Amino acid sequence: MSNVIGIVIAIAIGLVPVALFLVGLMLMDSYKLVQRSAILRSIGAGCLAALAAYVANRMLLDLAHMPPELLSRGPAPLIEETFKAVFVIMLIRAQ
C-alpha cells in the first residue's frame, strides 16, 4: 500500500511544474486566443495517450518479454508519439 502512495505522490509532484506552466500561459494569453475547454480537452487527450502508451509498453514488456533497455530506445517513444499524433490529426481533420 505504501508503494502505491509513493507512486501517487511522485505523480502529483511531477505534475506541479506542468500545471504551473499551463496556468502561466493562460494568464499571459491576454487576447484569449485559446478557449479553456480546448486546453482541457488537449490535456485530457494527452492523459489518455499516456495511459494507452503505458498499457502498450507494459504489454510489450510482459507478453513479448522485451528487455526494458530495448523498449526505451525504440518502440516506447514511437508508441507514445503515435498515440499523441492521433489527437493532432483529429484536430486537423475537424477544421
Side-chain angles (χ1 to χ4, degrees):
M1 183 69 178
S2 65
N3 189 24
V4 172
I5 294 171
I7 291 172
V8 170
I9 291 172
I11 290 172
I13 291 171
L15 290 176
V16 167
V18 175
L20 290 174
F21 179 69
L22 286 172
V23 168
L25 287 177
M26 289 171 60
L27 291 174
M28 290 188 321
D29 184 17
S30 61
Y31 293 108
K32 303 296 178 216
L33 298 174
V34 181
Q35 297 175 352
R36 280 199 179 135
S37 61
I39 294 171
L40 294 176
R41 276 195 312 271
S42 297
I43 292 171
C47 291
L48 287 175
L51 181 63
Y54 174 78
V55 170
N57 291 330
R58 285 303 317 171
M59 289 175 63
L60 283 174
L61 285 171
D62 297 338
L63 301 177
H65 305 291
M66 182 177 284
E69 299 82 21
L70 179 63
L71 179 67
S72 65
R73 291 178 189 223
L78 183 64
I79 290 169
E80 183 180 351
E81 296 303 322
T82 301
F83 282 130
K84 289 191 291 187
V86 168
F87 180 68
V88 174
I89 291 168
M90 287 172 43
L91 287 175
I92 293 170
R93 291 185 138 216
Q95 291 300 328

